Amino acid sequence: METIVEIIDENNIDDKALAVLKKAGDILKNGGLVAFPTETVYGLGGDALNPESSKKIYAAKGRPSDNPLIVHVADMESLKKIVDNIPDAAYKLADVLWPGPLTMIMNKSDAVPYETTGGLNTVAIRMPSNKIAAELIRQAGGYIAAPSANISGRPSPTEAKYCIEDLDGRVEMIIDGGSVGIGLESTIIDLTVDTPMILRPGYVTQKMLEDILGGVSIDKTILSATSGVKPKAPGMKYRHYAPKGELTIVEGKPEAVTAFINEQTGQHSANGEKCGVIATTETFSLYKADVVKCAGGRDDEEEIARNLFRILREFDDENVDCMFSEAFDENGIGQAIMNRLLKAAGHRVIKV
Ligand code: AMP
Ligand code: MG
């Protein structure tokens, strides 16, 4: 299949852009696939109510079919068709946080095929704030199932060029809307249990959710190695975000971390391996590895979130064999950053 790539400026959706989005919407209505930007990461979209489209998404990504997709909507009205009994909590959260980087799990109606929910009776729903995504959803008839637009297991794409790298020839269209604003996937909250539970941390933090709902619990597997206990979001059990080389997270006092990483990269380099380091503004100049990348300042976790997946992809592009990353605080968005980093590292952590 030939993949068309179209560029759209989110801040200038003119008639030409609308024509492209109409064409993309028609592709989706006809059962085809379109990769598109959202504020979190790029999505790989298909018609959420068409079982054949969902099957195509799994095939294009090489994703296990028990790993459910998120259904993207453009307005609250749309929930009525796909949800069985919309909980009050959904309205409360939507009032403050939609459109935005929050996915809510609710009981599905018969309109949603099991192919989209990975066989579950619940459905994950998000209303993205990206204007390109919102218009595309409208043009596609209201419901786009979209996981991240990467080949299963690779870091999620934060720029169109990474969608092209993974999906060229596998989808009908890729919409290039520039770099995404957030860079980590949405926070997922399950509203089908007595106390709403965070299944995946993201830009929307536990504190923000608690301020709206009161008590909110968190799936314990989020920051622990996943062996033993099964995570509640089926997708969280799979290896994810992984660069091609081996990544290790190093935890400890800043000076000890820098010294340990320098010693390690020195040894690996002596063995002929190309080494990379994920550093922060504070430590960037102290590392001696072949490739040193700055994720951002320690006081700006939003910047670190935005840069993380791009850095992991760049290590692949530069054929880095072994990588070391500093650890980050697990407060606020830091929890999501560490969750992704731990998965990318296969939970390889060294304390110094
Ligand atoms: P992705 O969009 O690729 O980041 O993947 C979507 C995530 O949402 C995966 O981790 C899924 O397991 C999770 N998810 C989707 N639907 C459900 C659901 N009904 N219950 C629990 N987790 C879900
Ligand atoms: Mg994903």
Side-chain angles (χ1 to χ4, degrees):
M1 157 191 329
E2 198 186 327
T3 302
I4 312 164
V5 178
E6 298 276 7
I7 297 173
I8 296 182
D9 176 358
E10 191 194 353
N11 298 312
N12 182 25
I13 302 194
D14 54 14
D15 287 348
K16 193 163 155 261
L18 279 175
V20 169
L21 290 166
K22 179 171 184 318
K23 186 169 153 193
D26 288 342
I27 292 172
L28 292 166
K29 281 184 191 157
N30 290 321
L33 303 182
V34 176
F36 62 97
T38 80
E39 67 277 21
T40 58
V41 299
Y42 273 76
L44 165 55
D47 178 353
L49 306 188
N50 178 349
E52 295 310 314
S53 299
S54 293
K55 283 189 202 160
K56 281 190 199 167
I57 293 176
Y58 288 109
K61 273 186 73 103
R63 175 169 172 133
S65 60
D66 69 343
N67 186 357
L69 310 174
I70 294 172
V71 178
H72 293 70
V73 298
D75 51 54
M76 283 306 278
E77 260 313 287
S78 302
L79 293 195
K80 293 184 181 149
K81 182 168 170 184
I82 58 170
V83 178
D84 183 23
N85 267 326
I86 305 169
D88 274 352
Y91 289 105
K92 285 188 190 153
L93 290 173
D95 243 12
V96 185
L97 297 169
W98 271 6
L102 176 70
T103 296
M104 304 186 213
I105 312 270
M106 303 180 219
N107 289 314
K108 84 173 192 72
S109 75
D110 291 340
V112 186
Y114 283 111
E115 282 77 1
T116 300
T117 65
L120 298 175
N121 287 318
T122 52
V123 57
I125 307 166
R126 181 164 103 79
M127 191 191 294
S129 65
N130 180 290
K131 295 194 188 82
I132 299 169
E135 185 56 32
L136 181 63
I137 294 164
R138 283 189 283 270
Q139 295 287 349
Y143 304 93
I144 300 184
S148 48
N150 51 282
I151 295 289
S152 211
R154 298 207 70 199
S156 305
T158 51
E159 295 175 38
K161 69 175 179 186
Y162 299 128
C163 298
I164 298 170
E165 199 174 291
D166 281 16
L167 299 176
D168 191 27
R170 293 169 179 250
V171 299
E172 276 79 0
M173 188 189 280
I174 294 173
I175 300 174
D176 180 347
S179 293
V180 300
I182 292 177
L184 296 179
E185 304 86 346
S186 58
T187 304
I188 301 179
I189 186 163
D190 185 356
L191 301 180
T192 67
V193 285
D194 285 342
T195 305
M197 183 186 270
I198 298 171
L199 307 189
R200 176 172 77 183
Y203 183 85
V204 171
T205 61
Q206 184 167 6
K207 165 96 176 45
M208 289 159 81
L209 295 165
E210 277 170 348
D211 285 349
I212 298 167
L213 294 183
V216 169
S217 65
I218 183 153
D219 184 0
K220 292 283 176 296
T221 66
I222 279 174
L223 290 172
S224 64
T226 50
S227 57
V229 194
K230 209 168 130 203
K232 301 235 170 0
M236 299 293 274
K237 71 175 176 281
Y238 291 108
R239 187 167 151 81
H240 241 100
Y241 322 120
K244 291 174 188 152
E246 189 175 276
L247 172 66
T248 304
I249 302 169
V250 184
E251 242 176 54
K253 293 220 173 71
E255 312 78 57
V257 168
T258 319
F260 179 81
I261 292 179
N262 275 334
E263 181 197 314
Q264 288 292 311
T265 55
Q267 282 174 17
H268 283 275
S269 294
N271 291 335
E273 287 178 61
K274 188 168 180 183
C275 295
V277 174
I278 302 181
T280 46
T281 313
E282 293 79 358
T283 56
F284 181 68
S285 62
L286 304 173
Y287 289 108
K288 303 189 181 97
D290 306 298
V291 187
V292 183
K293 307 263 181 199
C294 181
R298 283 208 166 262
D299 55 355
D300 188 353
E301 48 189 12
E302 293 193 13
E303 188 188 4
I304 296 169
R306 205 160 39 238
N307 287 328
L308 182 63
F309 286 145
R310 178 180 52 76
I311 290 176
L312 293 174
R313 290 254 175 185
E314 285 174 357
F315 281 143
D316 284 354
D317 295 344
E318 294 168 46
N319 295 312
V320 173
D321 301 302
C322 83
M323 289 146 283
F324 293 87
S325 176
E326 296 176 8
F328 297 95
D329 272 348
E330 285 165 18
N331 298 318
I333 309 168
Q335 191 172 56
I337 294 169
M338 277 311 285
N339 167 262
R340 306 310 192 271
L341 201 54
L342 282 163
K343 284 186 146 282
H347 286 270
R348 218 175 353 261
V349 183
I350 295 179
K351 293 192 170 67
V352 293

